[in-house]
Amino acid sequence: MAAISIEPGTKGAGPKFVLPDSSDPAYTYGIDVSHHNIDSSGSIDWNEAISKNVRFVFLKATQGSKYIDPTFRSNWQGAESANTKDKVLRVGAYHFFSANVDAQEQANSFIKVMETYAKFSPGKHLPPCLDLEWDYEIKNGKLVTDAAGRPIDRWRNLQPVEIAAKVNTWIDAIKAKYGVEPIIYSNAQWWSSVGLNGNKFGPKIWVADYSAGANSKGKPGTPPNHRWLVWQFTENAYIGKRTFDGNKYLKDAVSFDKDMGILAVGGN
């Protein structure tokens, strides 16, 4: 889910943010993780993460209708096992939405993985998240560009009404299965670039904006008609020597649980 520098919604990698030293005690902080965060240094130390004021994590589960993140199962198990009687790490999963794959098939793939590997339970885990952003065309491991040298976003081949229909199909499938409203992860620049400004998808928006202006004002750009719930403000959040996407919720952990529909009893 980490945005890359060519994406206009990021405006760089965002500020260096060291957990817990840089954190505001009034806020709730989290990270998101995929196989990109697992390198030669091995698996993530989830006990270290929770000790450094990380209170929630979203893990990449699937992409398209066939891809399963190879680290999802171990990350989910590790993150859940980090809970203590005093501190709880809230765990959720996200699906990277592919423009050229049937939306129902994508929802089915995500649900199957959640049932098989995560034993997802509404009220215990964070709501499922749909990662809705640039879906760049890649060939032989490299970005494909147009005549002007710009990377090709597959979503640009669809009309806004077609994109909205695909999004709603995925959302409806998740709601039908679990009875919860999914979270939408996106950013204002991409949203506008594909003509979605007249659309609204549910109340829970996780917005990405790494820009200096947003970070200095404490106010990220948000898709029209939406209010952001969680803000991914940097990809330079440090836990020890490792970096992750940094996310924050501008209230305490009790309020975070309430907004996320968490019903399970646990510490903060």
Side-chain angles (χ1 to χ4, degrees):
M1 190 176 290
I4 57 179
S5 59
I6 59 172
E7 295 176 352
T10 67
K11 306 248 189 299
K16 181 178 180 179
F17 191 88
V18 180
L19 286 158
D21 299 353
S22 303
S23 59
D24 185 323
Y27 298 164
T28 306
Y29 293 90
I31 57 175
D32 52 274
V33 174
S34 73
H35 67 279
H36 294 293
N37 298 106
I38 310 298
D39 52 25
S40 59
S41 62
S43 60
I44 295 169
D45 186 338
W46 293 104
N47 288 314
E48 178 186 27
I50 200 169
S51 73
K52 293 188 180 296
N53 208 30
V54 176
R55 292 292 175 266
F56 65 91
V57 59
F58 281 97
L59 305 169
K60 183 174 182 178
T62 51
Q63 179 170 338
S65 62
K66 300 183 182 301
Y67 180 81
I68 302 172
D69 189 294
T71 66
F72 175 69
R73 186 174 190 173
S74 60
N75 280 334
W76 185 279
Q77 293 174 346
E80 281 214 306
S81 68
N83 292 341
T84 70
K85 67 176 182 178
D86 299 316
K87 296 179 180 178
V88 173
L89 182 64
R90 301 303 188 194
V91 185
Y94 71 89
H95 170 78
F96 186 94
F97 208 33
S98 296
N100 57 353
V101 181
D102 181 80
Q104 185 64 54
E105 290 181 6
Q106 294 190 65
N108 293 343
S109 173
F110 178 80
I111 291 170
K112 182 178 180 179
V113 168
M114 297 306 290
E115 295 294 294
T116 304
Y117 296 147
K119 306 300 182 186
F120 175 78
S121 177
K124 177 183 178 183
H125 300 120
L126 298 173
C129 175
L130 182 64
D131 184 352
L132 184 59
E133 56 173 307
W134 293 271
D135 181 18
Y136 287 126
E137 188 172 338
I138 298 175
K139 186 175 182 180
N140 298 324
K142 296 182 179 180
L143 289 170
V144 178
T145 58
D146 60 20
R150 297 170 298 194
I152 298 173
D153 179 11
R154 295 185 179 98
W155 289 111
R156 297 296 293 273
N157 296 323
L158 301 177
Q159 296 297 314
V161 65
E162 295 175 297
I163 298 174
K166 290 174 74 73
V167 172
N168 283 320
T169 293
W170 194 92
I171 289 174
D172 289 345
I174 300 303
K175 289 171 68 174
K177 176 64 178 180
Y178 296 118
V180 297
E181 187 78 39
I183 297 169
I184 302 295
Y185 168 92
S186 195
N187 68 83
Q189 288 76 16
W190 176 83
W191 199 276
S192 178
S193 75
V194 295
L196 284 180
N197 284 352
N199 291 273
K200 184 174 182 178
F201 304 113
K204 295 183 173 69
I205 293 289
W206 175 9
V207 67
D209 189 344
Y210 304 167
S211 66
N215 274 286
S216 65
K217 297 176 182 176
K219 185 178 181 180
T222 306
N225 305 315
H226 291 81
R227 296 179 62 186
W228 66 273
L229 185 63
V230 176
W231 175 13
Q232 185 184 88
F233 64 99
T234 185
E235 63 176 14
N236 271 328
Y238 280 78
I239 300 174
K241 296 182 179 180
R242 303 182 72 159
T243 57
F244 300 87
D245 294 340
N247 303 276
K248 57 186 174 182
Y249 167 86
L250 302 189
K251 295 180 184 178
D252 62 21
V254 173
S255 297
F256 177 81
D257 282 358
K258 182 178 179 180
D259 275 342
M260 290 293 175
I262 298 293
L263 303 176
V265 176
N268 294 305

